[in-house]
mmCIF file of all heavy atoms in Angstrom:
data_model
loop_
_atom_site.group_PDB
_atom_site.id
_atom_site.type_symbol
_atom_site.label_atom_id
_atom_site.label_comp_id
_atom_site.label_asym_id
_atom_site.label_seq_id
_atom_site.Cartn_x
_atom_site.Cartn_y
_atom_site.Cartn_z
ATOM 1 N N LYS A 499 8.627 44.190 101.875
ATOM 2 C CA LYS A 499 7.932 42.952 101.550
ATOM 3 C C LYS A 499 8.538 42.305 100.242
ATOM 4 O O LYS A 499 8.418 41.091 100.060
ATOM 5 C CB LYS A 499 6.473 43.149 101.429
ATOM 6 C CG LYS A 499 5.665 41.895 101.607
ATOM 7 C CD LYS A 499 4.136 42.202 101.683
ATOM 8 C CE LYS A 499 3.374 40.943 102.019
ATOM 9 N NZ LYS A 499 1.910 41.253 102.209
ATOM 10 N N ILE A 500 9.112 43.137 99.396
ATOM 11 C CA ILE A 500 9.743 42.568 98.136
ATOM 12 C C ILE A 500 10.771 41.526 98.477
ATOM 13 O O ILE A 500 11.011 40.601 97.648
ATOM 14 C CB ILE A 500 10.271 43.721 97.317
ATOM 15 C CG1 ILE A 500 9.150 44.663 96.932
ATOM 16 C CG2 ILE A 500 11.031 43.173 96.113
ATOM 17 C CD1 ILE A 500 9.622 45.871 96.110
ATOM 18 N N ARG A 501 11.441 41.677 99.623
ATOM 19 C CA ARG A 501 12.516 40.784 100.014
ATOM 20 C C ARG A 501 11.930 39.310 100.023
ATOM 21 O O ARG A 501 12.617 38.340 99.652
ATOM 22 C CB ARG A 501 13.075 41.129 101.294
ATOM 23 C CG ARG A 501 14.380 40.180 101.692
ATOM 24 C CD ARG A 501 15.412 40.445 100.703
ATOM 25 N NE ARG A 501 16.467 39.520 100.789
ATOM 26 C CZ ARG A 501 17.605 39.513 100.000
ATOM 27 N NH1 ARG A 501 17.698 40.401 99.039
ATOM 28 N NH2 ARG A 501 18.512 38.567 100.131
ATOM 29 N N TYR A 502 10.686 39.127 100.559
ATOM 30 C CA TYR A 502 10.200 37.804 100.665
ATOM 31 C C TYR A 502 9.932 37.246 99.226
ATOM 32 O O TYR A 502 10.166 36.059 98.990
ATOM 33 C CB TYR A 502 8.835 37.897 101.429
ATOM 34 C CG TYR A 502 9.013 38.082 102.884
ATOM 35 C CD1 TYR A 502 8.718 39.349 103.430
ATOM 36 C CD2 TYR A 502 9.436 37.077 103.731
ATOM 37 C CE1 TYR A 502 8.909 39.590 104.786
ATOM 38 C CE2 TYR A 502 9.540 37.277 105.078
ATOM 39 C CZ TYR A 502 9.294 38.610 105.603
ATOM 40 O OH TYR A 502 9.463 38.805 106.998
ATOM 41 N N ARG A 503 9.369 38.056 98.374
ATOM 42 C CA ARG A 503 9.128 37.559 97.012
ATOM 43 C C ARG A 503 10.376 37.115 96.324
ATOM 44 O O ARG A 503 10.406 36.023 95.682
ATOM 45 C CB ARG A 503 8.381 38.600 96.232
ATOM 46 C CG ARG A 503 8.100 38.174 94.790
ATOM 47 C CD ARG A 503 7.180 39.225 94.084
ATOM 48 N NE ARG A 503 7.845 40.501 94.025
ATOM 49 C CZ ARG A 503 8.735 40.923 93.161
ATOM 50 N NH1 ARG A 503 9.190 40.044 92.272
ATOM 51 N NH2 ARG A 503 9.207 42.123 93.221
ATOM 52 N N ARG A 504 11.437 37.857 96.432
ATOM 53 C CA ARG A 504 12.689 37.512 95.829
ATOM 54 C C ARG A 504 13.307 36.279 96.418
ATOM 55 O O ARG A 504 13.927 35.439 95.745
ATOM 56 C CB ARG A 504 13.666 38.744 95.905
ATOM 57 C CG ARG A 504 13.210 39.939 95.010
ATOM 58 C CD ARG A 504 14.118 41.075 95.161
ATOM 59 N NE ARG A 504 13.669 42.205 94.302
ATOM 60 C CZ ARG A 504 14.232 43.397 94.349
ATOM 61 N NH1 ARG A 504 15.157 43.664 95.209
ATOM 62 N NH2 ARG A 504 13.798 44.321 93.432
ATOM 63 N N LEU A 505 13.162 36.183 97.714
ATOM 64 C CA LEU A 505 13.663 34.991 98.459
ATOM 65 C C LEU A 505 13.033 33.687 97.895
ATOM 66 O O LEU A 505 13.686 32.792 97.543
ATOM 67 C CB LEU A 505 13.487 35.131 99.897
ATOM 68 C CG LEU A 505 13.658 33.829 100.719
ATOM 69 C CD1 LEU A 505 15.138 33.342 100.666
ATOM 70 C CD2 LEU A 505 13.255 34.131 102.219
ATOM 71 N N TRP A 506 11.704 33.696 97.812
ATOM 72 C CA TRP A 506 11.010 32.483 97.382
ATOM 73 C C TRP A 506 11.107 32.270 95.934
ATOM 74 O O TRP A 506 11.067 31.097 95.548
ATOM 75 C CB TRP A 506 9.542 32.544 97.842
ATOM 76 C CG TRP A 506 9.451 32.412 99.362
ATOM 77 C CD1 TRP A 506 9.150 33.429 100.274
ATOM 78 C CD2 TRP A 506 9.666 31.259 100.149
ATOM 79 N NE1 TRP A 506 9.255 32.881 101.613
ATOM 80 C CE2 TRP A 506 9.533 31.619 101.497
ATOM 81 C CE3 TRP A 506 10.023 29.954 99.815
ATOM 82 C CZ2 TRP A 506 9.692 30.639 102.585
ATOM 83 C CZ3 TRP A 506 10.210 29.055 100.871
ATOM 84 C CH2 TRP A 506 10.008 29.374 102.173
ATOM 85 N N ASP A 507 11.184 33.298 95.148
ATOM 86 C CA ASP A 507 11.456 33.146 93.676
ATOM 87 C C ASP A 507 12.777 32.381 93.506
ATOM 88 O O ASP A 507 12.924 31.450 92.604
ATOM 89 C CB ASP A 507 11.547 34.478 93.008
ATOM 90 C CG ASP A 507 10.176 35.076 92.780
ATOM 91 O OD1 ASP A 507 9.104 34.383 92.974
ATOM 92 O OD2 ASP A 507 10.068 36.267 92.452
ATOM 93 N N ARG A 508 13.737 32.760 94.250
ATOM 94 C CA ARG A 508 15.026 32.095 94.144
ATOM 95 C C ARG A 508 15.045 30.631 94.647
ATOM 96 O O ARG A 508 15.572 29.740 94.061
ATOM 97 C CB ARG A 508 16.058 32.847 94.964
ATOM 98 C CG ARG A 508 17.491 32.549 94.644
ATOM 99 C CD ARG A 508 18.454 33.568 95.292
ATOM 100 N NE ARG A 508 18.558 33.437 96.734
ATOM 101 C CZ ARG A 508 18.094 34.320 97.567
ATOM 102 N NH1 ARG A 508 17.456 35.384 97.152
ATOM 103 N NH2 ARG A 508 18.248 34.090 98.856
ATOM 104 N N VAL A 509 14.406 30.378 95.773
ATOM 105 C CA VAL A 509 14.210 29.005 96.275
ATOM 106 C C VAL A 509 13.471 28.123 95.281
ATOM 107 O O VAL A 509 13.826 26.951 95.093
ATOM 108 C CB VAL A 509 13.551 29.024 97.668
ATOM 109 C CG1 VAL A 509 13.322 27.571 98.142
ATOM 110 C CG2 VAL A 509 14.389 29.827 98.658
ATOM 111 N N GLN A 510 12.394 28.661 94.633
ATOM 112 C CA GLN A 510 11.669 27.890 93.669
ATOM 113 C C GLN A 510 12.481 27.476 92.489
ATOM 114 O O GLN A 510 12.258 26.382 91.886
ATOM 115 C CB GLN A 510 10.479 28.765 93.152
ATOM 116 C CG GLN A 510 9.349 28.911 94.162
ATOM 117 C CD GLN A 510 8.255 29.885 93.666
ATOM 118 O OE1 GLN A 510 8.268 30.302 92.520
ATOM 119 N NE2 GLN A 510 7.269 30.137 94.545
ATOM 120 N N MET A 511 13.520 28.184 92.163
ATOM 121 C CA MET A 511 14.379 27.830 91.037
ATOM 122 C C MET A 511 15.278 26.592 91.378
ATOM 123 O O MET A 511 15.688 25.908 90.433
ATOM 124 C CB MET A 511 15.279 28.981 90.707
ATOM 125 C CG MET A 511 14.599 30.202 90.170
ATOM 126 S SD MET A 511 15.682 31.668 89.945
ATOM 127 C CE MET A 511 16.861 31.001 88.808
ATOM 128 N N HIS A 512 15.410 26.304 92.706
ATOM 129 C CA HIS A 512 16.346 25.225 93.074
ATOM 130 C C HIS A 512 15.581 24.033 93.660
ATOM 131 O O HIS A 512 16.176 22.981 93.657
ATOM 132 C CB HIS A 512 17.344 25.730 94.078
ATOM 133 C CG HIS A 512 18.293 26.782 93.597
ATOM 134 N ND1 HIS A 512 17.980 28.110 93.450
ATOM 135 C CD2 HIS A 512 19.556 26.576 93.148
ATOM 136 C CE1 HIS A 512 19.095 28.712 92.989
ATOM 137 N NE2 HIS A 512 20.081 27.875 92.746
ATOM 138 N N ILE A 513 14.382 24.239 94.150
ATOM 139 C CA ILE A 513 13.661 23.118 94.802
ATOM 140 C C ILE A 513 12.276 22.979 94.101
ATOM 141 O O ILE A 513 11.457 23.878 94.158
ATOM 142 C CB ILE A 513 13.466 23.409 96.371
ATOM 143 C CG1 ILE A 513 14.779 23.585 96.965
ATOM 144 C CG2 ILE A 513 12.755 22.185 96.979
ATOM 145 C CD1 ILE A 513 14.670 23.939 98.468
ATOM 146 N N LYS A 514 12.123 21.834 93.469
ATOM 147 C CA LYS A 514 10.924 21.615 92.600
ATOM 148 C C LYS A 514 9.618 21.729 93.376
ATOM 149 O O LYS A 514 8.664 22.376 92.932
ATOM 150 C CB LYS A 514 10.993 20.275 91.934
ATOM 151 C CG LYS A 514 9.862 19.955 90.976
ATOM 152 C CD LYS A 514 10.059 18.612 90.280
ATOM 153 C CE LYS A 514 8.948 18.361 89.325
ATOM 154 N NZ LYS A 514 9.056 17.004 88.631
ATOM 155 N N VAL A 515 9.578 21.082 94.581
ATOM 156 C CA VAL A 515 8.290 21.141 95.287
ATOM 157 C C VAL A 515 7.913 22.553 95.799
ATOM 158 O O VAL A 515 6.686 22.780 95.872
ATOM 159 C CB VAL A 515 8.374 20.118 96.530
ATOM 160 C CG1 VAL A 515 9.389 20.594 97.543
ATOM 161 C CG2 VAL A 515 7.015 19.907 97.134
ATOM 162 N N VAL A 516 8.880 23.341 96.076
ATOM 163 C CA VAL A 516 8.619 24.685 96.435
ATOM 164 C C VAL A 516 7.893 25.437 95.272
ATOM 165 O O VAL A 516 6.980 26.186 95.503
ATOM 166 C CB VAL A 516 9.816 25.438 96.954
ATOM 167 C CG1 VAL A 516 9.548 26.866 97.142
ATOM 168 C CG2 VAL A 516 10.388 24.744 98.109
ATOM 169 N N ASP A 517 8.366 25.170 94.116
ATOM 170 C CA ASP A 517 7.790 25.779 92.907
ATOM 171 C C ASP A 517 6.382 25.219 92.620
ATOM 172 O O ASP A 517 5.424 25.970 92.391
ATOM 173 C CB ASP A 517 8.641 25.525 91.699
ATOM 174 C CG ASP A 517 8.115 26.125 90.481
ATOM 175 O OD1 ASP A 517 7.724 27.348 90.433
ATOM 176 O OD2 ASP A 517 8.056 25.413 89.445
ATOM 177 N N GLU A 518 6.237 23.901 92.750
ATOM 178 C CA GLU A 518 4.925 23.288 92.437
ATOM 179 C C GLU A 518 3.849 23.626 93.434
ATOM 180 O O GLU A 518 2.693 23.853 93.035
ATOM 181 C CB GLU A 518 5.074 21.767 92.445
ATOM 182 C CG GLU A 518 5.931 21.168 91.337
ATOM 183 C CD GLU A 518 6.186 19.707 91.428
ATOM 184 O OE1 GLU A 518 5.982 19.151 92.534
ATOM 185 O OE2 GLU A 518 6.658 19.133 90.418
ATOM 186 N N GLU A 519 4.185 23.819 94.717
ATOM 187 C CA GLU A 519 3.170 24.112 95.735
ATOM 188 C C GLU A 519 3.083 25.601 96.010
ATOM 189 O O GLU A 519 2.252 26.074 96.900
ATOM 190 C CB GLU A 519 3.520 23.370 97.031
ATOM 191 C CG GLU A 519 3.520 21.778 96.903
ATOM 192 C CD GLU A 519 2.204 21.284 96.728
ATOM 193 O OE1 GLU A 519 1.145 22.015 96.847
ATOM 194 O OE2 GLU A 519 2.068 20.029 96.549
ATOM 195 N N SER A 520 3.951 26.426 95.409
ATOM 196 C CA SER A 520 4.024 27.871 95.703
ATOM 197 C C SER A 520 4.137 28.075 97.203
ATOM 198 O O SER A 520 3.470 28.867 97.784
ATOM 199 C CB SER A 520 2.682 28.558 95.181
ATOM 200 O OG SER A 520 2.611 28.513 93.816
#
Side-chain angles (χ1 to χ4, degrees):
K499 200 168 185 177
I500 296 177
R501 186 65 194 178
Y502 289 103
R503 178 172 58 81
R504 292 176 177 172
L505 166 61
W506 290 107
D507 284 348
R508 195 169 70 252
V509 174
Q510 287 176 4
M511 294 172 60
H512 293 81
I513 305 177
K514 183 178 180 181
V515 66
V516 174
D517 179 50
E518 292 176 343
E519 299 288 354
S520 291

